[in-house]
Amino acid sequence: MVTGITWEDPFCGEGNNCFRIGTDAAGNAYIAVAGQEEHFVTDSRDALRALVQEIKAGKVDHLL
């Protein structure tokens, strides 16, 4: 298990669809389902920044 992750409060949709985003001191970013933080996807903070910018730009709206 990875330690040293600082998790943000969950981002929730309808029902129990909640995700958490975390970071660590080494510059890594993590995304997990709330309550299942031991199972995460990880990449760099730069990759997370790029993902958020693309989402904000509407490039994944077709998935909604």
Side-chain angles (χ1 to χ4, degrees):
M1 176 179 220
V2 175
T3 59
I5 301 171
T6 302
W7 292 102
E8 297 291 324
D9 290 337
F11 295 91
C12 299
E14 294 181 19
N16 294 323
N17 302 319
C18 299
F19 291 92
R20 294 188 79 184
I21 295 175
T23 56
D24 67 16
N28 299 307
Y30 303 83
I31 301 174
V33 173
Q36 299 180 28
E37 289 81 359
E38 69 275 9
H39 303 288
F40 52 78
V41 175
T42 186
D43 207 325
S44 67
R45 287 187 190 193
D46 288 337
L48 176 62
R49 184 177 300 108
L51 173 66
V52 170
Q53 288 173 337
E54 296 294 304
I55 290 170
K56 289 174 73 174
K59 294 190 176 183
V60 295
D61 286 356
H62 64 283
L63 299 174
L64 303 176

